[in-house]
Amino acid sequence: MKQDDLRDEALYLQTRADELAWHRAHALGVSRRRFLQLAASAAALAAADTLGRAGNGSQAAPADLIVKPTPPEWFYDFASNKEMRWENMAGRGYLVPNELFFVRDHSRTPRIEASTWRLKVEGSGVSRPLELSYDDILSLPETSVIRYVECAGNGRSFFEGAYGKRASGTQWKLGAIGVAEWTGVPLREVLDRAGLKQTARDVMPEGLDELRVRRPMSIAKALEDDTLLVYAMNGSPLPPDHGFPVRVLAPGWVGVANVKWVGRLEVSEQPLFTPWNTDNYVLIGPDYAPVPPAKGPVLTTQSPKSAFEVPWDGELPAGRRTIRGRSWSPFGKITRVEYSVDRGITWQTATLREPNIPRAWVRWDFEWEAKPGSYSLRARATDEQGNRQPATVPFNELGYLFNAVIGHPLTIRP
Amino acid sequence: MGLALSPRWGTAAAPRIVKVKAFEFAYEPKQITVPPGAVEFDVTNTGSIEHTFLIDDPAKKTVGKIASILPGKTEKLTVTLRAGAHTIYCDLAGHREAGMIASLKVQP
Ligand SMILES: [Cu+2]
């Protein structure tokens, strides 16, 4: 088969997938019956997808830290953390398939049985403490949204290049992000059933993992329409590595707020503090003052970023190329993406492709007459609120929120 | 930070070497005593997830840091220490609380 035919077929499948994604983004409040239909259509899409069968289950992490196969051609390996390789998203549809979605485990993936799992909702901020089973959760009003989830430390490795010293933690490039369709019950529905008090201030989901991730959020964030207790991802039951049976979705907020394997919600009339919002997931550094009891400003929303769907430090043959990438912001739609192929001397505007869903991402591309040489590609996104990626980001010891424009190394060979 | 030469402990070319293991969720040994001066810490991650290694001085100022040690790897850190009670810990989320803390006494 000729290359052009393959390209047309890929284009066709992608267009169909995009239409579905766009449709789903508007399909809030779908019924349980609808969820089953979604699962069926997602399975059909997965079958049509051209995902390479690289895994074969042979790449299990040491001590089975992670359940799903994480072969090196799909992920950069950081033990319990696996970074998505952006080149695998090249020309792919809007959503990241569950198989390719990055994994950030604070310790390891716990294996939890849905039949014995319970969610406790308790604390001074509710008048009727609850205990819900998996079936209870499934019977509550259902909603689906398309949103990104991103680690607070995505891009951390670039602090070293900018400041000559490493920030603590996993040295991610830009692959600690993914966009999926998340299905679940609005957190608000569960809080209402527990008799949420007017005086409630904080909600703290607690994970059932070994370290018991406890990351409080404000009641305002907990009550947003798209803050969910999620049990399905891209139409399939939530995979173990992504929080089975139930996780939190807190769109636009740092990844840690999207607590996986949630087993308890503490609702409090008092502000809640744990090491997860006093010692970690706070900004510590010369440009940031402590906010007692926290060691620095507490992270909430992420920051706008961009990434190329090109191998990092890879090679491409010379000639006319379509260069693709994606940009995202916690504050709304991306309205403009500029790119530079000459180390930031001149900038042009990339073409944005629908869908462009707020707090998900937008795909963009540009045509480039690539001549042999070493390049450093740059992309710079602006969102609908006027937030633009900066030239620099102040150093912080734990390496959060790096969203400066970076040079993506690429060699064009003759 | 310059190397403080102590006449009792020889030249800067040969810092004292201390080997430490990091794993879920502790350091071994848990208590370390060294004389003031240059010390090289060889920290091996014998666990299965990432860890870090920080040293805070008695005033809680961080005087040395290894920002990431992947499982099976050994990373080295050389610091010049003054007398006093220091703290070694891992600053990854939840690790210090789970037990990744050790005491480092610097005494002549
Ligand atoms: Cu650690």
Side-chain angles (χ1 to χ4, degrees):
Chain A
M1 194 180 288
K2 281 193 298 189
Q3 191 67 20
D4 283 359
D5 299 330
L6 278 174
R7 282 179 59 90
D8 283 345
E9 186 179 356
L11 193 67
Y12 170 74
L13 287 173
Q14 184 183 306
T15 306
R16 289 295 308 276
D18 292 348
E19 284 170 4
L20 186 60
W22 189 225
H23 181 70
R24 284 189 200 173
H26 291 88
L28 294 178
V30 290
S31 67
R32 172 134 180 78
R33 185 187 301 268
R34 172 92 180 114
F35 169 53
L36 296 174
Q37 289 167 353
L38 285 180
S41 60
L45 267 182
D49 205 337
T50 52
L51 201 60
R53 291 293 140 212
N56 289 331
S58 60
Q59 298 285 338
D64 293 326
L65 293 172
I66 288 173
V67 172
K68 72 182 182 182
T70 56
E73 55 273 37
W74 289 358
F75 296 98
Y76 295 105
D77 181 17
F78 299 100
S80 66
N81 302 319
K82 310 290 181 188
E83 175 173 4
M84 181 187 79
R85 297 181 73 117
W86 264 101
E87 62 267 35
N88 290 319
M89 291 307 291
R92 196 177 277 284
Y94 192 79
L95 304 174
V96 179
N98 294 355
E99 294 91 332
L100 294 182
F101 210 94
F102 83 102
V103 179
R104 196 283 183 253
D105 278 3
H106 284 94
S107 49
R108 68 184 64 222
T109 297
R111 279 63 165 175
I112 297 170
E113 293 288 332
S115 58
T116 54
W117 174 86
R118 295 290 183 276
L119 176 67
K120 286 181 187 159
V121 187
E122 57 195 18
S124 61
V126 291
S127 55
R128 295 188 300 275
L130 288 179
E131 192 168 295
L132 299 169
S133 69
Y134 188 59
D135 283 344
D136 292 336
I137 291 281
L138 294 186
S139 71
L140 293 173
E142 175 186 313
T143 223
S144 291
V145 295
I146 292 175
R147 295 290 184 269
Y148 76 75
V149 171
E150 180 186 27
C151 175
N154 196 22
R156 179 180 287 121
S157 66
F158 301 116
F159 279 110
E160 186 176 14
Y163 293 94
K165 59 179 175 178
R166 280 187 170 193
S168 294
T170 299
Q171 299 296 304
W172 309 107
K173 289 189 274 291
L174 284 169
I177 175 155
V179 168
E181 183 207 43
W182 309 97
T183 300
V185 54
L187 180 53
R188 186 183 55 220
E189 297 280 350
V190 170
L191 296 177
D192 283 348
R193 281 165 175 73
L196 181 66
K197 296 182 188 172
Q198 291 282 341
T199 47
R201 287 192 60 176
D202 278 356
V203 177
M204 183 179 75
E206 182 174 324
L208 294 168
D209 55 310
E210 189 176 357
L211 288 173
R212 294 195 306 127
V213 173
R214 281 146 287 142
R215 219 305 166 150
M217 70 172 88
S218 62
I219 199 75
K221 183 63 183 172
L223 296 180
E224 284 196 351
D225 288 346
D226 56 359
T227 297
L228 310 182
L229 290 171
V230 162
Y231 46 80
M233 178 178 180
N234 291 327
S236 301
L238 198 57
D241 301 312
H242 300 289
F244 183 86
V246 173
R247 76 176 300 170
V248 173
L249 180 74
W253 277 36
V254 288
V256 68
N258 300 256
V259 175
K260 300 195 280 190
W261 318 292
V262 62
R264 178 172 173 264
L265 296 171
E266 181 175 348
V267 187
S268 175
E269 295 179 288
Q270 307 299 325
L272 294 171
F273 296 102
T274 72
W276 305 80
N277 67 350
T278 59
D279 291 25
N280 288 87
Y281 301 102
V282 301
L283 295 166
I284 302 169
D287 290 59
Y288 302 103
V291 186
K295 292 178 173 174
V298 179
L299 301 182
T300 55
T301 44
Q302 294 273 14
S303 49
K305 296 191 187 74
S306 302
F308 287 91
E309 296 172 1
V310 173
W312 186 262
D313 210 4
E315 280 191 2
L316 290 175
R320 192 167 175 80
R321 311 250 136 246
T322 302
I323 301 293
R324 294 187 172 89
R326 306 186 189 216
S327 299
W328 57 97
S329 167
F331 304 111
K333 285 187 181 188
I334 298 294
T335 49
R336 184 173 162 89
V337 176
E338 299 154 285
Y339 69 92
S340 172
V341 295
D342 57 6
R343 296 171 194 274
I345 298 166
T346 61
W347 295 83
Q348 284 86 36
T349 304
T351 304
L352 307 187
R353 304 291 177 184
E354 289 291 325
N356 185 353
I357 299 171
R359 302 205 277 204
W361 56 24
V362 70
R363 289 169 299 170
W364 44 262
D365 55 69
F366 60 89
E367 296 295 308
W368 182 32
E369 200 63 55
K371 298 188 174 64
S374 297
Y375 292 88
S376 177
L377 306 182
R378 286 167 169 75
R380 181 168 68 189
T382 304
D383 69 24
E384 61 186 335
Q385 297 202 26
N387 302 292
R388 190 171 82 165
Q389 289 184 252
T392 60
V393 173
F395 185 83
N396 69 90
E397 290 292 338
L398 299 175
Y400 299 126
L401 303 189
F402 186 98
N403 78 321
V405 174
I406 53 147
H408 183 119
L410 177 67
T411 300
I412 300 296
R413 60 173 191 270
Chain B
M1 190 181 293
L3 272 178
L5 291 185
S6 160
R8 285 177 63 195
W9 302 107
T11 66
R16 179 171 293 262
I17 293 174
V18 176
K19 292 185 187 299
V20 181
K21 289 178 186 168
F23 50 91
E24 299 84 50
F25 286 100
Y27 292 103
E28 211 180 276
K30 289 174 94 69
Q31 297 188 334
I32 298 168
T33 303
V34 294
V39 180
E40 176 188 302
F41 292 89
D42 295 1
V43 188
T44 302
N45 183 347
T46 59
S48 51
I49 68 175
E50 287 184 275
H51 296 292
T52 67
F53 180 88
L54 285 85
I55 301 173
D56 278 10
D57 72 9
K60 294 197 171 179
K61 181 178 181 296
T62 301
V63 296
K65 162 162 133 172
I66 302 173
S68 172
I69 315 167
L70 285 163
K73 302 286 185 196
T74 299
E75 304 286 346
K76 296 179 180 185
L77 170 71
T78 300
V79 287
T80 301
L81 299 169
R82 295 189 193 180
H86 293 60
T87 304
I88 289 170
Y89 63 99
C90 175
D91 67 348
L92 296 187
H95 289 211
R96 181 175 178 156
E97 183 194 25
M100 293 198 73
I101 185 164
S103 116
L104 172 64
K105 281 185 191 152
V106 183
Q107 56 189 40

